[in-house]
Amino acid sequence: MRIPFVSGNWKMNTMVTEAEKLILEMLDGLDRIEGVEKVLCPPFVSLVAVNMMLRDSSIKLGAQNMYFETKGAYTGEVSPLMLSELCEFVILGHSERRWYFGETDEIVNKKVKAALSNKLKPILCVGERLAENEAGKTKEVVNRQVTTALDRVDSVSDLVIAYEPVWAIGTGKAASGEQAAATIQFIRDVLAKLWDKSIAQDLRILYGGSVTSANIAEFISHPEIDGALVGGASLKAEEFVSIVEQTAKIKGRIR
Ligand code: PEP
């Protein structure tokens, strides 16, 4: 049985004081929702403050990125070891990292391995660009991204995958539930080939891309879709709480 999972990616938004305010606004609403794993990913500079605020709650903390080395002369980078003191999760391979910062599949693979060996759980993002989608290359791209990211990874039991078509991120043009479910099923088939069927069956795969409280139901009513990675809508407390609440209800966790 896969526990539904909803994560908020705040991206490069919120000053520390704003992050604290946002946590205060959503803490009670989120905390009372059971049966969904809830993960917030604020910017690095807010992790310490948010970690303290979430300490006695059911809400978990994630980072948005990390470097793959543990320590050393890498000015400006943040290591998995440093994050492991503060977070349980880390988003890796987000399309904004791939396309604005040149992260290749090979770099993502190094990061996945470094995260796991430092006891961080990766939320691995994959997804095709608009031109690739239009050229019918979605499966080819996603297959390559998943296969390379997981190359020589010993165990995927701590991994969550987010299928995020690049054309749907921050555009207000979400994929349809059917489109997302079909690609997620395909990812599960890829995992079954790489590992085995039961491992693929147990791994949670989310949809991400312009998810809001108005369209979350369309995604999570598909049994293949285990939850959502939410960007813009996770910066609004009421909106994000509603997304998590609907996930819990639709997945049968609360009435
Ligand atoms: C994201 O940043 O992962 C994302 C899905 O963003 P948005 O929900 O704003 O499209």
Side-chain angles (χ1 to χ4, degrees):
M1 178 68 125
R2 303 189 295 263
I3 297 170
F5 188 105
V6 179
S7 181
N9 172 14
W10 293 2
K11 311 196 190 198
M12 198 174 73
N13 295 297
T14 66
M15 309 287 279
V16 177
T17 46
E18 290 168 334
E20 287 171 334
K21 186 167 170 278
L22 192 50
I23 292 291
L24 285 179
E25 285 168 6
M26 54 174 76
L27 184 61
D28 288 346
L30 283 183
D31 201 22
R32 70 182 160 72
I33 304 169
E34 292 178 358
V36 176
E37 198 158 10
K38 302 155 279 189
V39 180
L40 292 174
C41 304
F44 284 137
V45 292
S46 295
L47 285 175
V48 173
V50 173
N51 170 286
M52 291 201 301
M53 294 178 82
L54 297 183
R55 218 157 246 185
D56 298 319
S57 80
S58 58
I59 306 156
K60 297 175 177 175
L61 193 56
Q64 299 174 17
N65 180 37
M66 51 163 245
Y67 193 49
F68 51 75
E69 294 290 351
T70 308
K71 62 177 183 171
Y74 302 102
T75 303
E77 291 295 327
V78 174
S79 92
L81 183 63
M82 293 168 183
L83 292 178
S84 66
E85 238 180 13
L86 296 168
C87 303
E88 188 171 332
F89 291 89
V90 59
I91 297 173
L92 295 177
H94 191 283
S95 62
E96 287 152 14
R97 302 275 345 148
R98 291 177 190 264
W99 303 116
Y100 299 156
F101 300 99
E103 276 191 19
T104 60
D105 291 328
E106 289 70 24
I107 294 174
V108 176
N109 173 243
K110 285 186 181 183
K111 291 188 174 191
V112 168
K113 288 189 283 198
L116 290 170
S117 51
N118 284 282
K119 307 219 169 343
L120 283 171
K121 299 175 180 171
I123 302 171
L124 168 66
C125 300
V126 298
E128 82 287 2
R129 304 177 90 176
L130 183 60
E132 293 163 335
N133 179 283
E134 288 174 347
K137 291 189 171 161
T138 299
K139 287 184 176 174
E140 184 189 319
V141 171
V142 164
N143 182 24
R144 190 203 66 229
Q145 289 174 334
V146 171
T147 306
T148 312
L150 300 182
D151 185 37
R152 275 167 286 164
V153 168
D154 296 331
S155 162
V156 288
S157 57
D158 281 337
L159 193 88
V160 175
I161 293 181
Y163 167 58
E164 299 206 306
V166 181
W167 46 271
I169 296 181
T171 59
K173 291 185 194 140
S176 70
E178 282 73 26
Q179 274 176 311
T183 307
I184 285 174
Q185 183 54 55
F186 171 74
I187 294 173
R188 222 176 273 294
D189 295 342
V190 170
L191 293 166
K193 272 192 211 136
L194 288 175
W195 305 86
D196 70 47
K197 221 171 173 181
S198 77
I199 288 175
Q201 252 339 93
D202 289 347
L203 198 144
R204 286 169 298 173
I205 310 182
L206 321 175
Y207 167 74
S210 297
V211 168
T212 64
S213 64
N215 66 15
I216 181 69
E218 181 180 345
F219 298 104
I220 42 156
S221 42
H222 286 271
E224 297 87 349
I225 305 180
D226 298 312
L229 179 53
V230 185
S234 70
L235 290 163
K236 297 176 207 138
E238 229 178 282
E239 181 76 1
F240 190 63
V241 171
S242 167
I243 289 170
V244 179
E245 211 157 38
Q246 292 184 57
T247 303
K249 273 193 189 139
I250 293 172
K251 292 291 186 191
R253 300 295 169 141
I254 55 171
R255 279 163 218 291

